[in-house]
């Protein structure tokens, strides 16, 4: 039985740095700017022989209203109440501030176990702040340096009795805990069988499209921070759950704006983290705002998912606010076909993340897109189809040289990739390639998925093509005479 440890404290005391060190990788964004972390991020941590769940939380601030800091504080307090233990970090270089005293009182009331640690305590600069930490009344503090890895042995000694206590009292497996595993996976919500490999689904889109609200609705709980402010989510949070009986790992990503508008270093890190989530995903849900769908940035985001070779589903959010639904849906489908021809046939689903309406259709669309993404066509069937296509529309003959398409096979899935062996592949026009790709989509029901079609010549496989025959050295000497 593993236990959970919530790392809490004021903004910029080094919580994310310590979290990354405990999990052994850079899962959480780290920056000198305070308040980088906003959502809860959890991962499998390792300290000596001890294995546990580390929870990186937002910085505690003295706010209780409906403002963004107030909502972040409530999310952190939920983690404090649900965790088996809390590691309260203070900044040894800044000393003990009034907020530290306030939060120490909160932890005394709400946390099961509290471990106090003075971070940034390396060298003489943190000596006075380390001694001040005794005034919090939470016992003897641990001298830590998350950046340099100092003090982790003392932390292990403090955590070991808590782990033993949890192991002794645990009889029923815990549920509802999200964990980033060694592959960046997360286990959350409904308990999942260990052998089930989750379908990886990333939700991407412009800021304020409702991505976090949608993920919360799928999870059935307010697991991610939401609100009217644009750009609340800063890094990609992965959560494992069961969606209508399907094991999935959901990636909630930061909103992606136009590159020219992204000047802040932290926003650049957030966008890079979102792009990484797209590369990890198998199905990408591009979330559009029903009020302003198919903005230029929406098209770029959808094209990015297609170029990365992911299965793509377009979801139009805030559909509950749309008055003329039938006419609007018809207009959206026409815009989709016109503006994103490379994704022609991909699912277009209307949803309301606020009410949950349409999530069943979204789940069905995701599963169908995933099935097509993995589809494989037998070689014999492909070649019969190719013969019919070339007979109906023969390839051109540039310069009087006829291009012959001799053989076709599928070389990969995820996404489907095909190779056609032919003569003069470099002279085959792009229009004929599109003709074959569209034919593949229509005939083999591969609508919407990226298709990779490559043309090769038999001569491409000959390593000696273009090389002059060399004369043996002994014969060359004889000829020279």
């Amino acid at each position: 039985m593993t236990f959970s440890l919530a790392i809490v404290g004021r903004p910029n005391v080094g919580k994310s740095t310590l979290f990354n060190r405990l999990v052994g990788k850079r899962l959480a964004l780290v920056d000198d700017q305070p308040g980088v972390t906003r959502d809860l991020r959890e991962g499998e941590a390792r300290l000596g022989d001890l294995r546990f769940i580390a929870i990186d939380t937002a910085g505690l601030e003295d706010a209780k209203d409906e403002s963004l800091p107030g909502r972040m504080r409530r999310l952190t307090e939920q983690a404090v109440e649900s965790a088996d233990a809390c590691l309260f970090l203070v900044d040894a270089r800044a000393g003990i501030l009034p907020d530290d005293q306030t939060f120490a009182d909160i932890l005394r009331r709400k946390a099961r176990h509290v471990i106090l640690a003075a971070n940034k305590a390396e060298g003489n600069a943190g000596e006075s702040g380390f001694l001040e930490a005794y005034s919090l009344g939470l016992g003897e503090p641990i001298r830590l340096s998350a950046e340099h890895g100092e003090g982790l042995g003392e932390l292990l000694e403090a955590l070991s009795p808590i782990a033993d206590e949890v192991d002794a009292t645990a009889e029923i497996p815990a549920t509802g805990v999200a964990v980033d595993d060694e592959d960046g996976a997360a286990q959350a919500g409904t308990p999942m069988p260990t052998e089930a490999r989750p379908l990886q689904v990333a939700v991407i889109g412009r800021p304020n499209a409702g991505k976090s609200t949608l993920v919360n609705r799928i999870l059935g709980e307010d697991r991610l921070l939401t609100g009217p402010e644009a750009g609340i989510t800063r890094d990609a949070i992965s959560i494992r759950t069961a969606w209508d009986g399907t094991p999935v790992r959901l990636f909630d990503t930061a909103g992606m704006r136009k590159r020219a508008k992204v000047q802040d270093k932290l926003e650049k890190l957030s966008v890079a983290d979102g792009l990484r989530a797209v590369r990890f995903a198998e199905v990408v849900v591009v979330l559009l705002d029903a009020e302003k769908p198919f903005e230029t940035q929406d098209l770029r985001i959808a094209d990015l998912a297609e170029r990365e070779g992911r299965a793509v589903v377009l979801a139009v959010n805030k559909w509950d606010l749309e008055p003329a639904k039938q006419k609007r849906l018809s207009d959206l489908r026409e815009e989709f076909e016109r503006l994103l021809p490379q994704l022609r046939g991909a699912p277009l689903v209307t949803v309301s993340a606020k009410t949950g309406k349409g999530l069943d259709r979204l789940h069905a669309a995701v599963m169908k897109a995933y099935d097509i993404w993995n589809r494989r066509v037998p070689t014999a069937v492909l070649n019969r189809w190719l013969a019919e296509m070339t007979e109906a529309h023969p390839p051109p003959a540039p310069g009087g040289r006829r291009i012959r398409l001799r053989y076709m096979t599928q070389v990969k899935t995820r996404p489907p990739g095909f190779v056609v062996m032919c003569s003069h592949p470099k002279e085959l026009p792009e229009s004929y390639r599109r003709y074959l790709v569209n034919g593949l989509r229509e005939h083999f029901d591969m609508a919407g998925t990226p298709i990779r079609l490559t043309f090769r010549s038999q001569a491409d496989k000959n390593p000696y093509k273009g090389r002059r025959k060399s004369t043996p050295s002994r014969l060359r000497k004889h000829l020279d005479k």
Side-chain angles (χ1 to χ4, degrees), residues 34-246:
V36 172
T37 302
R38 288 177 173 173
D39 288 295
L40 302 181
R41 180 184 282 276
E42 298 146 359
E44 288 187 355
R46 177 180 301 180
L47 193 56
D49 294 332
L50 202 60
R51 304 291 183 272
F52 58 95
I53 299 167
I55 308 172
D56 186 24
T57 67
L60 284 165
E61 297 189 52
D62 194 9
K64 298 181 180 180
D65 54 14
E66 290 301 316
S67 64
L68 180 58
R71 301 197 303 276
M72 291 164 58
R73 172 171 172 164
R74 284 198 297 273
L75 198 63
T76 298
E77 289 181 352
Q78 290 176 17
V80 168
E81 293 174 353
S82 63
D84 294 306
C86 290
L87 178 61
F88 183 31
L89 281 191
V90 297
D91 189 336
R93 297 190 178 186
I96 302 304
L97 303 183
D99 282 350
D100 291 318
Q101 294 283 359
T102 301
F103 302 140
D105 294 336
I106 294 174
L107 292 176
R108 264 192 290 267
R109 295 194 309 269
K110 296 189 175 184
R112 302 175 194 175
H113 300 278
V114 180
I115 299 171
L116 176 62
N119 192 31
K120 308 179 186 179
E122 66 275 15
N124 296 327
E127 184 66 27
S128 61
F130 169 73
L131 296 175
E132 283 182 37
Y134 282 91
S135 65
L136 293 174
L138 294 175
E140 181 178 355
I142 298 173
R143 186 190 294 266
L144 273 184
S145 173
E147 185 174 356
H148 298 96
E150 298 177 6
L152 296 183
E154 290 80 357
L155 179 59
L156 175 60
E157 291 180 7
L159 290 175
S160 294
I162 298 174
D164 294 339
E165 178 183 329
V166 172
D167 287 340
T169 58
E171 297 180 357
I172 303 175
T175 63
V177 178
V179 182
D180 282 339
D181 61 19
E182 293 183 359
D183 295 325
Q187 302 171 2
T190 307
M192 301 291 297
T194 55
E195 68 274 8
R197 182 186 179 279
L199 170 62
Q200 303 185 70
V201 181
V203 182
I204 64 174
R206 288 186 291 116
N208 216 25
K211 298 179 293 297
S212 296
T213 304
L214 177 65
V215 174
N216 280 342
R217 178 62 62 176
I218 294 173
L219 295 174
E221 60 174 320
D222 291 335
R223 171 67 176 74
L224 301 171
L225 193 65
T226 61
E229 303 91 346
I232 290 179
T233 302
R234 281 183 166 167
D235 50 0
I237 304 294
S238 60
I239 304 174
R240 186 173 171 180
T241 187
W243 183 11
D244 288 353
T246 304

Side-chain angles (χ1 to χ4, degrees), residues 29 36 38-39 41 202-212 224 230-237 251-257 262 266-278 297 301 304:
L29 294 182
V36 172
R38 288 177 173 173
D39 288 295
R41 180 184 282 276
V203 182
I204 64 174
R206 288 186 291 116
N208 216 25
K211 298 179 293 297
S212 296
L224 301 171
I232 290 179
T233 302
R234 281 183 166 167
D235 50 0
I237 304 294
F251 289 88
D252 179 35
T253 63
M256 298 181 184
R257 298 195 299 161
V262 180
L266 183 57
E267 186 173 359
K268 291 180 180 179
L269 292 173
S270 300
V271 172
D273 206 31
L275 296 177
R276 178 174 170 270
V278 171
Q297 187 63 2
I301 291 171
L304 164 70

Side-chain angles (χ1 to χ4, degrees), residues 423-429:
S423 59
H424 316 300
K426 294 182 179 179
E427 298 181 19
L428 195 69

Side-chain angles (χ1 to χ4, degrees), residues 361-479:
R361 297 193 303 271
L362 180 59
H363 174 265
V366 167
M367 297 308 297
K368 182 178 180 181
Y370 179 71
D371 176 67
I372 295 174
W373 194 60
N374 284 275
R375 186 159 299 170
R376 181 173 289 279
V377 183
T379 299
V381 176
L382 269 178
N383 282 282
R384 285 197 296 269
W385 169 83
L386 181 63
E388 294 172 1
M389 292 292 285
T390 54
E391 183 178 352
H393 185 184
R401 294 192 301 178
R402 183 182 174 187
I403 299 177
R404 290 182 173 84
L405 306 186
R406 297 188 175 94
Y407 178 80
M408 183 176 187
T409 187
Q410 184 172 358
V411 294
K412 65 182 289 291
T413 59
R414 305 164 62 90
F418 303 88
V419 170
V420 178
M421 305 305 295
C422 64
S423 59
H424 316 300
K426 294 182 179 179
E427 298 181 19
L428 195 69
E430 178 64 20
S431 59
Y432 200 81
R433 191 195 72 85
R434 289 196 301 268
Y435 163 69
L436 293 179
V437 169
N438 291 335
L440 284 168
R441 293 189 192 282
E442 182 178 351
H443 190 84
F444 297 108
D445 191 21
M446 292 185 174
T449 196
I451 292 178
R452 305 296 187 241
L453 184 59
T454 305
F455 296 92
R456 292 180 185 169
S457 168
Q458 291 286 353
D460 294 341
K461 290 188 174 182
N462 184 358
Y464 299 103
K465 181 187 177 184
R467 291 179 57 180
R468 293 177 56 191
K469 292 184 178 180
S470 59
T471 305
S473 58
R474 284 181 295 177
L475 178 59
R476 188 166 53 250
K477 291 179 180 178
H478 175 75
L479 292 174

